[in-house]
Structure formats: C-alpha cells, structure tokens
Amino acid sequence: MFEEKRRPDGRGRPWHDARAVLNVVLWVSRTGAPWHDLPDRYPPCQTCHRWFQQWRKNGVFRDLLTCLAEDLRLRGKGNKIMAIVDRRSLPLAVHVACASPHEVRLVDATLEDRFIAPTRRA
C-alpha cells in the first residue's frame, strides 16, 4: 500500500522512505503536535504532510484499515495482540496471532515484528 515511487529517469532528489513518513503520521496523531514540531530524526515536515495529504486523498488509509480488518476476520474470533512498549508506553513492537498459543510462544514473533527506528540525520 505504501509502495516506493521513483522517477523512471532516476533524476531528482531521492524519495524518503514511506515507512519513515508513516512513522511521522503516527507520531503526529499520537502526540497531537503540529507538523513543524517534528524531531530531527524524521524527514522534513513539509514532505511528510504532503505525503499524508496524498495518502488521504487516494484512500490509502481507508484501504489499510480495510486490509487489517479483513486479516483479523480471517484469523477468526480468538486473537491475541502482543505489544512491547517502552517506559513511556510508546509501542516498540506489535504482533497479532490467533488465541491458541501461550503468550510465551509469541514473544519471539513479537520481537521480530518490532518497529525499526528511523536513523538520525547528520
């Protein structure tokens, strides 16, 4: 859904990673901070806001939620959502699985699904 776009001729500035921009959208949604107050570790606020507006206009978020709902429906009634958070309750990893396995067996899968922190710009 968040496919990488490149110019066919390879000219122009390199595009920012869609994952990093999505992390910005989630950060702004969670904190309620203005776009221009983004920490330095994220891509420029103008770029992120432009991508957010384009994704919203193109229905990317609607499609994403529809896809997630369908995935949960296919897994059946019993689901477990495993989450690992830091001391400020910020999510570090999230994993959804059927309700059958014990939580101890889901730890490795949850750690494998951890979010990759964006690298700090120089």
Side-chain angles (χ1 to χ4, degrees):
M1 289 188 190
F2 298 99
E3 62 190 42
E4 297 294 325
K5 296 179 183 176
R6 300 280 183 225
R7 284 181 53 157
D9 58 10
R11 294 179 6 201
R13 288 185 182 169
W15 287 49
H16 286 282
D17 178 36
R19 177 71 180 249
V21 175
L22 180 60
N23 283 337
V24 168
V25 171
L26 296 173
W27 184 86
V28 168
S29 297
R30 182 183 52 81
T31 64
W35 288 91
H36 63 270
D37 284 350
L38 288 176
D40 290 337
R41 66 181 179 264
Y42 292 119
C45 65
Q46 298 90 342
T47 300
C48 296
H49 187 262
R50 186 175 59 247
W51 281 37
F52 168 71
Q53 293 294 338
Q54 186 177 9
W55 287 343
R56 207 178 87 198
K57 178 182 169 189
N58 295 341
V60 171
F61 292 114
R62 182 188 63 243
D63 295 344
L64 175 65
L65 291 175
T66 302
C67 183
L68 288 172
E70 180 64 19
D71 184 52
L72 288 174
R73 187 187 69 75
L74 292 174
R75 290 173 188 256
K77 291 184 177 182
N79 294 309
K80 286 184 180 175
I81 300 175
M82 297 288 292
I84 298 174
V85 298
D86 68 7
R87 65 182 181 189
R88 295 173 293 173
S89 299
L90 299 175
L92 300 175
V94 177
H95 181 75
V96 178
C98 66
S100 300
H102 191 274
E103 287 82 8
V104 172
R105 294 179 179 239
L106 299 176
V107 172
D108 288 337
T110 306
L111 289 173
E112 288 175 11
D113 287 349
R114 71 184 174 272
F115 303 129
I116 298 170
T119 57
R120 186 174 204 104
R121 292 185 296 185

